[in-house]
Amino acid sequence: MPDALITRTPSAYDYPLLIKNLLFCPVVDAPQQEIVYRSHRFTYRDLRQRVACLANALTSLGVKRGDTVAVMDWDSHRYLECFFAVPMIGAVLHTINVRLSPEQILYTIDHAEDDVLLVNSEFLPILEQIRGRMDTVKSFVLLNDEPTVPESHIPFSGEYEALLAAASDQFNFADFDENTRATTFYTTGTTGMPKGVYFSHRQLVLHTMGVMSVLGSAVGQGNFHRQDVYMPITPMFHVHAWGLPYVATMLGVKQVYPGRYLPDHLLELIDREKVTFSHCVPTILHMLLKHPHAGRMDLSGWKVIIGGAAMSRALCLDAMQRGIDLFTGYGMSETCPILTISHLTPDMLELSAEEQAVIRCKTGCSLPLVDLKIVDSARQEQARDGKSAGEIVVRAPWLTQGYLKDHKASERLWEGGYLHTGDVAVRDELGYVKITDRTKDVLKVSGEWVSSLELEDIIAHHPGVAEVAVIGQPDEKWGERPLALVVAKPDNAVTEKELTHLVREYADKGVVTKQVVLLKVKLVEAIDKTSVGKVNKVALREKYL
Ligand code: AMP
């Protein structure tokens, strides 16, 4: 039997899922909506023109389909323009993690075979250091926020604004295969060199639609709509700022780009621009809330997706007390990234703050089209009982199809036809997933699995604790003992005894396994973070074990 393929009328248009199509509706339907960066205010109409100018400027620098254009910038309107213009001309956008070491940045530039590099003047010292050793970059474009052009030995082809001003604002963006690579960036692997992941136009369009469908259909909280004001607080170089700039643009939402993340500037923007929708990792929210200005501000109604790491109930309750609508998202670099969102149903919103926080801290339910399973080591799906833990494996239309030029690691990632996240989780009968650990971070204490995240959550609840990270300390008798590294709040003398006592109380109540009483506590000045602001357990293990 032949397949029931559809018959295509010769003149029918076969609509490709291309990034350019995300721009059509908003520029027509919300042309006056604003995009804000420093003193710049552009409309969506300007965005469309500037994207065309950038496409012309890049083309005149020799960029053609299949070339790679890399960007080193903080979050800006320019970055948003690159999110569109670069893939729209069929080139690949490489978003460089500017927090990596110069040697790692050089490695990613060579590995991605960047042809053109757009660089913020702030990073010129790094560029000067590595330029002589770059293999592929042919042109450099300067991104400058300062009144004067800085001195440099880099042979720039021009400054961004000057190149745009000289370019035509008309560009005919041709159709091409939706499976064309649109973006690439490197995961900040905690061991070895960073690994490149990559996403096609089709994947980014479907991710945008998937995220929009779940945020747009939320009732009672966590909804994202055209009257919101959006500001990212996860960097645009990391997983396209979770893809939210594409969603915001598609929805025609006012967008605010904060540049480098400085707490007082972020708070000032939230206040001045009336920001209502953001996303960040827990450590950034924690930093914002403890800033002296935050106490004087009205943050109520600010909707924030927390992801990238587990949110503690203490942080969640603190934010809820200030009227912030906090909820969790989960994903990883390899997954574009969003896989789950933890929205509350209207009846859950009737629960007490404590009860709501438990749900808000879960990692939520799968997005439409996401086939997410929690499996044991024999790849059998675990029961949805909120207790049976296993690894999250996933299929979705927007997962990286491999690691760039790394066949072995790609095969491991996709072993058995599902993408392996390396995250350990449970799922309850309502479908809410809760991450309990990374496969590499999980502790085995006296033969029992102990969740480091659960322990961190309990310890963070103590009023004297500012930050905590739990790692496993090898122990002859017990295999491993949990070691909690704790940063105390400045005016609070928390002791090891108080914390071990607190954990024992939870064990006595049967909330956590009794193995946790083997906990050791060490008070430290600070907890090491990765380049994207998450707790760096590899560095902590190296330092303290
Ligand atoms: P990255 O690739 O740097 O974005 O890191 C992805 C990893 O962050 C995931 O594999 C998880 O281990 C962790 N992660 C992301 N979101 C959450 C979350 N909501 N709760 C707990 N861990 C998370």
Side-chain angles (χ1 to χ4, degrees), residues 398-458:
W398 48 77
L399 312 183
T400 191
Q401 296 294 288
Y403 291 114
L404 205 57
K405 303 189 219 165
D406 190 341
H407 180 68
K408 268 198 192 145
S410 304
E411 286 294 341
R412 275 199 304 274
L413 179 71
W414 275 103
E415 208 186 319
Y418 273 81
L419 184 143
H420 290 257
T421 63
D423 288 313
V424 180
V426 295
R427 177 148 55 179
D428 66 21
E429 53 291 354
L430 295 176
Y432 283 74
V433 174
K434 180 160 177 63
I435 310 268
T436 54
D437 242 317
R438 301 273 309 155
T439 41
K440 292 180 221 80
D441 294 341
V442 78
L443 316 182
K444 199 152 201 189
V445 184
S446 180
E448 279 242 21
W449 295 112
V450 172
S451 156
S452 62
L453 297 184
E454 211 164 44
L455 263 178
E456 286 164 10
D457 198 45
I458 295 171

Side-chain angles (χ1 to χ4, degrees), residues 101-135:
S101 70
E103 289 306 314
Q104 286 178 317
I105 290 179
L106 173 65
Y107 171 84
T108 65
I109 289 173
D110 281 345
H111 191 265
E113 301 178 34
D114 295 343
D115 296 286
V116 175
L117 181 51
L118 281 65
V119 59
N120 185 313
S121 55
E122 217 180 294
F123 306 117
L124 287 181
I126 299 178
L127 194 56
E128 303 265 4
Q129 202 179 326
I130 59 178
R131 190 191 137 222
R133 290 179 286 149
M134 283 180 190
D135 292 336

Side-chain angles (χ1 to χ4, degrees), residues 247-262:
V247 179
T249 308
M250 175 89 167
L251 286 172
V253 167
K254 173 177 164 182
Q255 305 179 44
V256 180
Y257 287 95
R260 189 188 185 138
Y261 295 167
L262 304 168

Side-chain angles (χ1 to χ4, degrees), residues 185-189 238-239 242 281-282 306-311 328-335 337 340 361-364 421-424 434-439 441 453 530 532 534:
F185 64 91
Y186 285 75
T187 64
T188 43
H238 186 57
V239 217
W242 297 354
V281 292
I306 294 292
M311 167 164 65
T328 308
Y330 160 68
M332 59 198 296
S333 303
E334 287 81 348
T335 63
T340 68
C361 290
K362 289 188 176 177
T363 28
T421 63
D423 288 313
V424 180
K434 180 160 177 63
I435 310 268
T436 54
D437 242 317
R438 301 273 309 155
T439 41
D441 294 341
L453 297 184
T530 68
V532 290
K534 301 198 226 176

Side-chain angles (χ1 to χ4, degrees), residues 295-309:
R296 299 196 287 272
M297 282 175 63
D298 175 12
L299 293 169
S300 62
W302 185 32
K303 297 173 267 189
V304 184
I305 311 181
I306 294 292

Side-chain angles (χ1 to χ4, degrees), residues 61-186:
L61 290 180
V63 176
K64 42 186 198 323
R65 275 196 203 171
D67 283 356
T68 301
V69 176
V71 176
M72 287 176 80
D73 199 5
W74 300 117
D75 292 5
S76 67
H77 64 300
R78 295 177 295 245
Y79 227 137
L80 182 70
E81 288 155 12
C82 290
F83 268 34
F84 284 96
V86 175
M88 280 166 65
I89 58 174
V92 181
L93 173 68
H94 171 195
T95 58
I96 295 182
N97 181 343
V98 294
R99 292 224 172 86
L100 295 179
S101 70
E103 289 306 314
Q104 286 178 317
I105 290 179
L106 173 65
Y107 171 84
T108 65
I109 289 173
D110 281 345
H111 191 265
E113 301 178 34
D114 295 343
D115 296 286
V116 175
L117 181 51
L118 281 65
V119 59
N120 185 313
S121 55
E122 217 180 294
F123 306 117
L124 287 181
I126 299 178
L127 194 56
E128 303 265 4
Q129 202 179 326
I130 59 178
R131 190 191 137 222
R133 290 179 286 149
M134 283 180 190
D135 292 336
T136 58
V137 180
K138 300 169 205 69
S139 334
F140 298 90
V141 173
L142 179 68
L143 312 175
N144 192 23
D145 290 315
E146 306 309 322
T148 53
V149 178
E151 280 197 16
S152 154
H153 300 298
I154 312 283
F156 283 109
S157 304
E159 186 274 326
Y160 186 88
E161 287 301 333
L163 290 175
L164 260 63
S168 159
D169 63 6
Q170 300 297 314
F171 193 97
N172 181 18
F173 291 102
D175 279 356
F176 44 77
D177 191 322
E178 63 185 21
N179 293 307
T180 303
R181 186 148 64 98
T183 62
T184 201
F185 64 91
Y186 285 75

Side-chain angles (χ1 to χ4, degrees), residues 444-448 474-481 515 518:
K444 199 152 201 189
V445 184
S446 180
E448 279 242 21
D475 184 280
E476 263 188 32
K477 183 161 178 204
W478 306 105
E480 259 184 324
R481 288 180 72 165
Q515 263 70 13
L518 292 166

